[in-house]
Amino acid sequence: MPGTLRYTPSWLSRPSPGFDLFSPKTQPPLAQDQTKQKDTKLFGPTRTIARRGTEVFVVVGNELRWSDLVLLKEQWDEGYNEKNGDNEQDDNNESQSTTRILKVPISRPIKQLIISPNGDYLAIVTSHTIHIAVLPDSSHLASDDTLPLKLKTFHVGPTTHVLERSPIASAVWHPLGANGVCLVTITVDAVVRLWEFDKDNRWSFEAPALAVDLIKLVNGSSSDQDFSPSKYGANKTFSPDAFEMEVASACFGGSATEGEDSWAAMTLWIAMREGDVYALSPFLPSKWTAPRSMIARLSASASCISSSSCETNHSQQTRNQLRMWLSDITSQQSQFTSEELLSDVYTLQRPLRPSPISKLQGPFAISPDMDDIFEVTDLYAIASIDNMDAAMSEDGEIEDEDLGPASASLLCLSTSDNKIHILASIGTVEGRWLPARKLHSDEADEEVELLLLETLTLGQAADGVSPSFTADTQTQHSVFVTYSGGVSHLDLSSWTTKLADELLGDDEAGLAFRVDTLLDTASATVSQPITFSTPANSYSPVTCIALTDSDLGFFVLTTNSNQPYAATLEEPLSTTFGAMSISGPEPTLLLEYNPPELDTSMDTFPDARATYQPPQVLYAPSGLPSFLDTHAHPRIRRTLADELRLSPAVLQLMLDAHRVLSSETHRLGLAVAELFRRCERLQEEFREQLRRVRECRDRIDTVVEEGADDYQNMHGEPAEADGGAREAVEMRLEKVVERQGTLEERHAEIRRKIAKAGGRPVSEKEDQWITEIRVMERMIGGKELDTPTSDEEQDTAKEDDGMSPSGDNDALPHARFDQVRHLQKQLVNQAQDVEQNSSPSAEQEDFSASLRSSTRGGGSAQRRREAQTEIEMLLERQTALLEATREKIGRLAGLG
């Protein structure tokens, strides 16, 4: 559970350009007619804040605005907080340099803003219409031009998504769409449409590439039936499913990331208002892309499909359809070129067999049954962990046919009464298709069961406010929930990690008992990073956004009543250091720091809390001046210009005016009372802080006085005479403060480096290099060279280094060094023996004797000269040999 470091920063508070980004140009009057809000009330969550990196797109009223959060923060830090408010015109011009107004041809209230995966398109959703806006580059939006920018927009389905047709329940970009241009729209009447956009082909915005009526599909018996939605104006037959299949929300089960289930990203989960949950898998565009690892797992799973003799005809047909679909993908992969095979992302065509439209699975049984009557508002899916990687070899083949149980995927349902239901799917939702022909047997597929793990109540529900989910950018098993009281953070990683370890483990003995015990004790950790100061109404709150940036940190942003609320959360260290761990017997490279336990009894500062934000009622204009123009009859307005005369009409006018004035004064009184209570609490906190400071001062004085009694200076005089003890304490305190500042700077620098670097798994070559370094360290510096090791230790070291015990030790550095030292000792001993036993005089006598014997034999003078030359050469050779031996001994002695 991340802690809250800071709340709404100053660059998003009033008065600042960041606050003006979310506030309308003109404030509505206090006595605004509340009936208009009820007429324009929209069902479902409001997602009018979208982000592209640190850029945000905001809807204020019906105006689309753009800004960059980092740019707002930097310009505020450079001097916006030092400017006075005397020249309002200059401040407005400067604030426009960080904000851009984007013009779009949309007249109805905007309900959702959805950025495409590649960031090139923006889906603008109203209650019945959808427009796709082409977004320019961020450098073009951040230019010096402050004039409104008109975006190029396309109306999606001008004859489909119109006011006369069913409202739009959800719109989501397909995670596997080619180039990120595939949009899925789901209307309230349970019609799913898949759009594949092309800027050069306007017809792609006119008609969907695939349209499915779920009411027809749920009752379908064969794939040759017509499941397309009925045309406008056609007579519809009565179906009882029409009441139970009103769509509330829809989402995909995953985002095609590494390690998640291969079927998650192509599974569309659909939640109905009554609480039923359906799944459509696989649901793919005609041209889709997927990571190479995902395609490898799908191709490998095709070899695991085996038939059994005890299976029924229906089960065999289901397996044959799945094998047929996977074989089509494998055949496409076999036709890839070498460059395509080396690519990280594969582009494939949707298999045409068994059918482009899959079977609608559901409604899934929820155990235990939820007897409460509720209305679902939003749906969020957490993909399960794929266990195929553990069973695959390096060549992509399956080593173990028994893959074991898969990790459970999670579903979160939010209801209109501020309750969150956490469900776990027992089993994996895989591809299912209708048979080619209608079967006469009544046998049905084995449906996945949803297990209700926990139900959380966030707070008191507000009329017209729909809770909604936002994905956590730090961990997969965490989610943000925006509701009428603020923003809550649900952390499920405390038990989902243990559940995944149990399901993916090898120990199957007692697995069911351990899983049941774990699920019975499963509990989510709930925190409240943002709390709204004013109650939410039908227009708010807006679903929050979460982002992670080196300048902003772990940042959460939302709005309520056109007022921004933000919080900076702690970044979990597991996400940054987890990938840096190195497996092996040696200690890992994980940086571990255990801070010492501090005494919190003398904490000087209270816990961090949100700063006071003045309510909008203090800045809204009064509605009394315009009351006469809107409510008074023209004849009465003319009489009010003269002397006032009492009459029933004037009395009624005064009563109406009093009603407006009393409402305004009541709201102002509540706002001023809240401000007064805040000031009173601030004074009390100041008094408490002063009391703690005085207490801390008294304790410091006590410590100084106790040290002064025992202190003696160099002359033996008490320390009170020269204040030596006090100076020592002050000097020590200065060093501690300086050291603390240095540690804080180092800590901040390390956090910045880690945030920028991020985590990256160690490659195979890096792992081999680390192993070689460790082996070299053990051979050179890991033991004393002079101390001989035992035979077992030598054999172990040789086996670790890849050598046999009987192998040659000359290849090892420490063995070669030992041989050199042994050779040195031998050469020294031989040189000493030569110097003692062999001298140049004895050799000369031997050569002289041989010369005399040769002379007696009658040798000539030429013979004597040759013998003399030979003697001189032998003497020179022996002298050179001795000099070389002496130099070699000196070098070896230097190495030792």
Side-chain angles (χ1 to χ4, degrees):
M1 180 180 66
T4 305
L5 300 178
R6 292 177 299 275
Y7 290 92
T8 306
S10 57
W11 50 274
L12 285 178
S13 303
R14 188 194 301 269
S16 66
F19 184 87
D20 297 338
L21 173 66
F22 301 93
S23 60
K25 295 181 180 179
T26 58
Q27 295 290 342
L30 291 175
Q32 185 179 12
D33 191 2
Q34 300 296 327
T35 58
K36 296 182 179 179
Q37 297 183 4
K38 298 181 181 180
D39 295 340
T40 58
K41 175 182 175 181
L42 302 176
F43 177 81
T46 304
R47 308 179 188 272
T48 54
I49 300 180
R51 71 175 186 91
R52 182 177 62 176
T54 58
E55 305 173 67
V56 291
F57 299 85
V58 185
V59 175
V60 180
N62 208 35
E63 184 179 74
L64 181 60
R65 300 178 183 179
W66 169 92
S67 187
D68 194 330
L69 296 178
V70 175
L71 185 61
L72 288 173
K73 181 178 180 297
E74 291 178 353
Q75 292 198 358
W76 175 261
D77 294 339
E78 289 175 0
Y80 273 111
N81 52 354
E82 299 179 359
K83 293 181 179 293
N84 52 30
D86 295 337
N87 192 351
E88 297 181 356
Q89 184 68 26
D90 294 340
D91 290 344
N92 292 334
N93 291 337
E94 290 174 354
S95 64
Q96 290 178 358
S97 60
T98 58
T99 304
R100 198 74 180 269
I101 298 177
L102 307 178
K103 287 188 175 183
V104 290
I106 299 175
S107 58
R108 296 188 59 81
I110 298 175
K111 180 182 177 182
Q112 297 184 34
L113 295 178
I114 310 172
I115 297 285
S116 63
N118 56 7
D120 294 339
Y121 299 93
L122 174 65
I124 307 174
V125 184
T126 65
S127 61
H128 290 78
T129 63
I130 297 180
H131 290 76
I132 300 298
V134 181
L135 296 178
D137 189 70
S138 58
S139 59
H140 181 62
L141 292 172
S143 61
D144 297 335
D145 189 6
T146 59
L147 296 177
L149 178 63
K150 185 177 181 180
L151 298 181
K152 183 179 181 181
T153 58
F154 300 91
H155 187 187
V156 178
T159 60
T160 303
H161 295 303
V162 291
L163 296 178
E164 292 78 9
R165 304 298 290 267
S166 178
I168 298 173
S170 291
V172 58
W173 293 94
H174 203 297
L176 301 179
N179 300 322
V181 293
C182 297
L183 182 69
V184 179
T185 61
I186 305 97
T187 55
V188 176
D189 59 351
V191 175
V192 181
R193 294 178 175 89
L194 176 63
W195 307 82
E196 300 179 15
F197 300 132
D198 184 5
K199 291 189 296 184
D200 300 331
N201 183 11
R202 199 171 186 86
W203 177 251
S204 62
F205 297 90
E206 301 285 340
L210 183 64
V212 182
D213 190 344
L214 300 183
I215 298 179
K216 295 181 180 179
L217 186 60
V218 74
N219 298 320
S221 57
S222 61
S223 59
D224 57 355
Q225 293 178 334
D226 184 15
F227 301 112
S228 60
S230 302
K231 296 182 179 180
Y232 176 71
N235 295 328
K236 294 184 179 180
T237 58
F238 172 78
S239 174
D241 297 329
F243 298 97
E244 298 180 356
M245 296 191 65
E246 291 187 2
V247 178
S249 180
C251 69
F252 281 95
S255 55
T257 56
E258 188 70 26
E260 71 177 21
D261 184 25
S262 304
W263 294 95
M266 60 182 71
T267 302
L268 181 65
W269 292 91
I270 305 168
M272 307 302 172
R273 290 187 182 181
E274 300 295 331
D276 293 335
V277 179
Y278 295 84
L280 196 61
S281 177
F283 189 71
L284 294 172
S286 60
K287 186 177 181 181
W288 57 289
T289 59
R292 179 173 57 181
S293 59
M294 176 180 173
I295 301 301
R297 290 193 295 268
L298 286 175
S299 301
S301 63
S303 60
C304 299
I305 302 176
S306 60
S307 59
S308 177
S309 59
C310 60
E311 288 183 340
T312 61
N313 295 333
H314 186 76
S315 300
Q316 291 180 359
Q317 185 177 10
T318 302
R319 288 184 176 273
N320 293 334
Q321 289 176 345
L322 185 58
R323 186 185 294 108
M324 185 187 306
W325 190 84
L326 293 174
S327 62
D328 195 338
I329 294 179
T330 305
S331 62
Q332 293 185 41
Q333 186 179 0
S334 61
Q335 299 176 0
F336 285 170
T337 62
S338 58
E339 296 180 356
E340 293 177 345
L341 290 175
L342 296 177
S343 178
D344 294 335
V345 179
Y346 290 165
T347 302
L348 301 99
Q349 301 292 330
R350 179 179 58 205
L352 299 179
R353 299 181 305 167
S355 173
I357 301 176
S358 58
K359 179 183 178 181
L360 183 63
Q361 305 179 44
F364 299 109
I366 300 178
S367 176
D369 295 336
M370 295 184 293
D371 299 331
D372 299 340
I373 300 176
F374 54 84
E375 189 175 15
V376 177
T377 59
D378 200 6
L379 171 67
Y380 182 77
I382 299 176
S384 60
I385 300 175
D386 195 352
N387 60 345
M388 184 68 70
D389 295 336
M392 290 179 61
S393 63
E394 296 181 357
D395 300 334
E397 298 180 355
I398 300 296
E399 296 178 348
D400 188 4
E401 294 182 358
D402 187 10
L403 299 178
S407 176
S409 59
L410 302 179
L411 294 178
C412 298
L413 292 177
S414 64
T415 60
S416 56
D417 53 354
N418 280 351
K419 289 185 178 181
I420 307 298
H421 301 282
I422 301 176
L423 310 174
S425 64
I426 305 303
T428 304
V429 177
E430 297 181 348
R432 292 289 184 270
W433 293 267
L434 291 173
R437 300 184 305 273
K438 183 178 180 180
L439 299 179
H440 298 287
S441 61
D442 297 334
E443 183 183 357
D445 292 335
E446 295 182 0
E447 297 289 353
V448 176
E449 182 182 0
L450 297 180
L451 180 62
L452 178 61
L453 302 180
E454 188 179 5
T455 299
L456 303 174
T457 303
L458 300 179
Q460 186 177 3
D463 186 19
V465 179
S466 302
S468 57
F469 296 103
T470 302
D472 191 347
T473 59
Q474 294 290 333
T475 58
Q476 180 185 6
H477 295 88
S478 298
V479 63
F480 291 96
V481 183
T482 307
Y483 68 105
S484 58
V487 177
S488 295
H489 181 265
L490 306 184
D491 188 3
L492 309 177
S493 58
S494 59
W495 60 271
T496 53
T497 305
K498 299 178 182 178
L499 179 61
D501 294 340
E502 290 290 345
L503 294 177
L504 300 179
D506 298 332
D507 188 7
E508 297 183 0
L511 177 62
F513 174 75
R514 293 195 303 271
V515 170
D516 292 341
T517 305
L518 182 61
L519 294 180
D520 291 339
T521 59
S523 178
T525 305
V526 184
S527 61
Q528 186 84 7
I530 296 178
T531 302
F532 297 142
S533 58
T534 57
N537 51 47
S538 59
Y539 285 107
S540 56
V542 176
T543 302
C544 70
I545 60 172
L547 59 97
T548 303
D549 184 72
S550 58
D551 296 324
L552 301 176
F554 188 12
F555 197 72
V556 181
L557 174 65
T558 184
T559 61
N560 181 29
S561 300
N562 293 326
Q563 180 176 343
Y565 290 86
T568 303
L569 308 181
E570 294 179 349
E571 299 183 22
L573 293 178
S574 59
T575 59
T576 55
F577 290 109
M580 297 174 63
S581 176
I582 300 175
S583 60
E586 301 294 334
T588 60
L589 298 181
L590 268 173
L591 301 180
E592 296 183 357
Y593 172 70
N594 298 322
E597 296 182 358
L598 301 178
D599 184 11
T600 58
S601 60
M602 288 298 296
D603 288 344
T604 307
F605 300 99
D607 297 335
R609 66 167 182 265
T611 58
Y612 172 72
Q613 299 292 337
Q616 295 287 344
V617 67
L618 298 178
Y619 299 93
S622 175
L624 190 60
S626 59
F627 173 76
L628 296 177
D629 297 337
T630 56
H631 291 77
H633 194 272
R635 182 176 57 84
I636 298 179
R637 287 201 300 267
R638 289 194 298 269
T639 58
L640 294 178
D642 301 332
E643 183 179 357
L644 186 61
R645 296 181 180 181
L646 297 179
S647 64
V650 174
L651 179 60
Q652 183 64 34
L653 182 62
M654 294 179 64
L655 290 177
D656 295 340
H658 180 269
R659 187 179 300 107
V660 175
L661 185 60
S662 61
S663 176
E664 293 182 357
T665 54
H666 176 69
R667 296 182 186 178
L668 289 174
L670 293 178
V672 173
E674 177 65 22
L675 179 58
F676 178 78
R677 286 192 295 268
R678 295 263 185 166
C679 294
E680 288 289 335
R681 188 177 65 177
L682 184 61
Q683 292 180 358
E684 292 295 333
E685 290 179 355
F686 279 157
R687 295 190 188 97
E688 181 65 20
Q689 294 300 314
L690 292 176
R691 186 190 64 80
R692 293 189 179 186
V693 169
R694 284 195 298 268
E695 184 179 350
C696 184
R697 182 200 61 186
D698 295 340
R699 294 183 61 178
I700 292 175
D701 293 341
T702 303
V703 172
V704 172
E705 291 176 0
E706 291 177 357
D709 295 339
D710 300 333
Y711 179 82
Q712 296 290 334
N713 57 11
M714 296 178 59
H715 304 285
E717 299 177 356
E720 297 176 355
D722 55 359
R726 185 179 297 275
E727 293 179 358
V729 172
E730 292 179 355
M731 186 179 300
R732 183 179 178 184
L733 181 60
E734 292 178 358
K735 291 182 179 179
V736 170
V737 172
E738 183 180 357
R739 183 171 178 270
Q740 180 67 20
T742 304
L743 291 177
E744 290 179 355
E745 292 178 359
R746 292 177 59 188
H747 180 262
E749 183 66 23
I750 291 174
R751 287 183 66 90
R752 285 193 296 267
K753 289 182 179 179
I754 291 175
K756 293 181 180 179
R760 185 175 61 86
V762 180
S763 63
E764 184 178 356
K765 293 184 178 180
E766 292 174 345
D767 195 5
Q768 294 177 358
W769 179 78
I770 292 172
T771 305
E772 293 177 1
I773 293 298
R774 288 173 178 168
V775 172
M776 186 65 68
E777 178 184 7
R778 185 175 64 252
M779 291 190 302
I780 296 178
K783 61 181 180 179
E784 293 294 332
L785 297 177
D786 294 335
T787 304
T789 58
S790 61
D791 295 338
E792 295 180 0
E793 294 177 352
Q794 291 179 359
D795 294 345
T796 303
K798 292 175 182 178
E799 291 177 358
D800 293 340
D801 298 337
M803 298 178 57
S804 62
S806 61
D808 189 7
N809 291 338
D810 294 342
L812 301 179
H814 64 85
R816 295 177 59 188
F817 190 74
D818 293 340
Q819 291 180 1
V820 169
R821 298 194 65 176
H822 181 67
L823 181 61
Q824 175 193 357
K825 294 179 181 179
Q826 291 181 355
L827 291 176
V828 170
N829 295 333
Q830 291 178 4
Q832 291 177 357
D833 295 341
V834 169
E835 290 179 356
Q836 293 177 1
N837 300 328
S838 299
S839 62
S841 60
E843 293 180 358
Q844 290 178 1
E845 291 178 357
D846 294 339
F847 282 108
S848 299
S850 62
L851 181 62
R852 285 194 299 271
S853 61
S854 62
T855 303
R856 294 188 188 98
S860 60
Q862 182 68 23
R863 180 72 176 173
R864 289 194 297 271
R865 286 195 297 272
E866 292 180 356
Q868 184 68 26
T869 303
E870 185 178 358
I871 292 172
E872 293 178 355
M873 292 176 61
L874 290 174
L875 290 176
E876 292 178 357
R877 181 178 179 183
Q878 189 175 11
T879 304
L881 181 61
L882 290 175
E883 292 293 336
T885 303
R886 188 179 292 107
E887 292 178 0
K888 188 173 183 180
I889 293 173
R891 288 195 301 271
L892 294 176
L895 290 175

